[in-house]
Amino acid sequence: MAAPRDVTTTEGARGTDGGAMTLSRHILESQRQQPRARGELSVLLLQLAFAGKIFSHALRRSALDRRLGPTGDRNVQGEATKKLDVFGNDTIVEAFARSELVAALVSEEMDEPRQIACGKRASYVLCVDPLDGSSNSDVNGVVATIFGVYRPARDVGAAATVAHVRSGRDQVAAGYIMYGPSTSFVYTTGGGVHGFTLDHDIGEFLLTHPSMQCPPHGPYYGANLANVQDWDEGAQEYIRHLTAGRDRANSLRYSGALVADIHRSLLEGGIYLYPADRRHPGGKLRLAYECAPLAFVLEQAGGAASTGTAAVLDTPFESIHQRVPFAAGSRDEVAIFERFIRERR
Ligand code: AHM
Ligand code: MG
């Protein structure tokens, strides 16, 4: 079992001049290290952080402002929509509605991609799950926003389209904003993973978890075990492996919000699973805006994310709401899960 690490070092929260390392400063300093960067990604990340602050504020007041409960509608996935799903989606749409950089916005809550810009600067496709962990929203549980920023190869001078996106490897940035006892902003642009905490008093995200590293193995596993009899034999066998023996060191943690479980794995090691089952023969979780962004974060932190048979980031995109089986977290734990799947195929 990995020894607990002190990740909340105050040194990490400071720049070289001793000043506080805000998210804006961190993003701009990272941009300066890339001589060819034009600042576009910085604009997008800061806009996501802005949307996160608005949503964080609204979530804290959601019971007081009567924003809890279902809307009575269903989304394209057939899931009952919550008022907070709609608010989260509207917040993101509004934050990017006038962006010249985003060609299309894909969201769990929208049937079709929203076309935003069509000029030659429109190089990005933004994929979001505005409210991960919807079932937690009415019970004051942890929820999150997941984002993947894709810059697909495209014709010179033309705007990007969703059809240009080939896989999660087309992401140039990804991360999540997690609304728990505190609000975290965790992101990568391919140069490691950095975690920030919102200081509500000053309205700034401050660096609290610099250069996050996912322990290669760890004690926690999270899955909806009510579905276990509907899983493939390999996945069932893996759970038996985790729960067998007298000296087992594993602990079950399943929060109802994928991001919260992945965040735990990132800090303390472990694995999150949502394999295919009878109700979800292709898996439940969506590739573009749930699995691929979290896979990019995990790989950048030394962790892994797999469909059971291939890396999530290598899975070709077929449609915007495409689902995949998902196993993600510590590198060694994911490798063991893949071995069980391979041996039982
Ligand atoms: P959501 O985006 O509608 O909340 O769906 C994704 C969530 C994950 O965060 C969570 O781990 C899983 O669905 C829970 O599903 P289940 O209730 O089937 O266990
Ligand atoms: Mg979701």
Side-chain angles (χ1 to χ4, degrees):
M1 190 170 81
R5 294 169 309 130
D6 178 15
V7 287
T8 53
T9 153
T10 47
E11 269 158 47
R14 310 233 150 245
T16 43
D17 61 0
M21 183 54 87
T22 62
L23 177 63
S24 338
R25 183 172 170 188
H26 194 268
I27 289 173
L28 294 172
E29 286 191 1
S30 313
Q31 178 196 317
R32 244 178 262 131
Q33 284 164 20
Q34 310 287 329
R36 293 174 57 203
R38 287 168 297 181
E40 295 178 343
L41 213 44
S42 303
V43 170
L44 297 180
L45 287 167
L46 291 171
Q47 199 61 3
L48 282 160
F50 173 68
K53 286 180 201 173
I54 300 214
F55 202 19
S56 173
H57 176 75
L59 285 165
R60 289 161 79 205
R61 296 197 46 86
S62 53
L64 302 168
D65 291 345
R66 299 184 189 282
R67 218 176 249 137
L68 298 181
T71 59
D73 293 334
R74 290 187 174 270
N75 66 12
V76 63
Q77 342 251 352
E79 298 158 344
T81 311
K82 301 275 180 74
K83 288 180 195 161
L84 282 170
D85 285 315
V86 174
F87 183 86
N89 191 62
D90 290 350
T91 303
I92 300 277
V93 169
E94 175 60 23
F96 289 95
R98 283 163 288 282
S99 170
E100 286 179 58
L101 302 172
V102 176
L105 175 60
V106 169
S107 164
E108 180 175 324
E109 299 306 325
M110 301 191 301
D111 303 7
E112 299 292 336
R114 173 77 55 106
Q115 304 306 322
I116 308 274
C118 56
K120 60 177 186 229
R121 293 189 71 206
S123 325
Y124 301 90
V125 173
L126 175 62
C127 296
V128 288
D129 178 356
L131 186 74
D132 171 54
S134 289
S135 73
N136 286 356
S137 63
D138 292 341
V139 297
N140 199 18
V142 174
V143 292
T145 300
I146 310 175
F147 58 88
V149 182
Y150 295 78
R151 186 167 56 201
R154 66 200 161 105
D155 300 336
V156 181
T161 67
V162 169
H164 287 124
V165 178
R166 290 160 308 176
S167 72
R169 300 268 177 221
D170 282 337
Q171 290 176 107
V172 287
Y176 54 83
I177 308 161
M178 188 174 87
Y179 315 98
S182 60
T183 298
S184 309
F185 186 102
V186 173
Y187 87 102
T188 183
T189 54
V193 178
H194 309 286
F196 296 76
T197 303
L198 181 59
D199 184 330
H200 288 280
D201 294 335
I202 58 170
E204 288 278 6
F205 282 104
L206 298 175
L207 183 63
T208 47
H209 296 66
S211 302
M212 297 169 82
Q213 283 294 317
C214 181
H217 46 86
Y220 298 110
Y221 68 102
N224 186 340
L225 296 184
N227 297 332
V228 80
Q229 70 276 20
D230 293 336
W231 293 355
D232 291 346
E233 187 50 36
Q236 292 195 29
E237 187 67 33
Y238 176 70
I239 292 296
R240 284 195 284 274
H241 151 80
L242 290 179
T243 52
R246 263 203 224 128
D247 302 323
R248 27 178 212 275
N250 302 307
S251 294
L252 175 65
R253 296 284 186 277
Y254 189 64
S255 70
L258 154 76
V259 166
D261 297 330
I262 294 285
H263 190 69
R264 179 189 292 277
S265 290
L266 197 52
L267 294 177
E268 300 186 340
I271 188 167
Y272 170 95
L273 304 173
Y274 212 114
D277 60 39
R278 219 174 304 164
R279 269 191 310 149
H280 311 102
K284 175 187 173 183
L285 300 173
R286 277 59 48 123
L287 179 59
Y289 45 80
E290 291 177 323
C291 303
L294 296 174
F296 189 20
V297 168
L298 280 165
E299 281 201 7
Q300 280 295 313
S306 170
T307 61
T309 52
V312 166
L313 289 178
D314 291 329
T315 306
F317 276 23
E318 286 158 10
S319 61
I320 59 170
H321 297 297
Q322 173 185 350
R323 298 169 191 259
V324 285
F326 191 56
S330 293
R331 193 188 58 213
D332 295 356
E333 308 299 340
V334 173
I336 295 169
F337 176 76
E338 284 180 319
R339 204 183 68 220
F340 275 89
I341 297 293
R342 236 185 353 258
E343 285 170 2
R344 289 297 181 140
R345 284 175 86 196

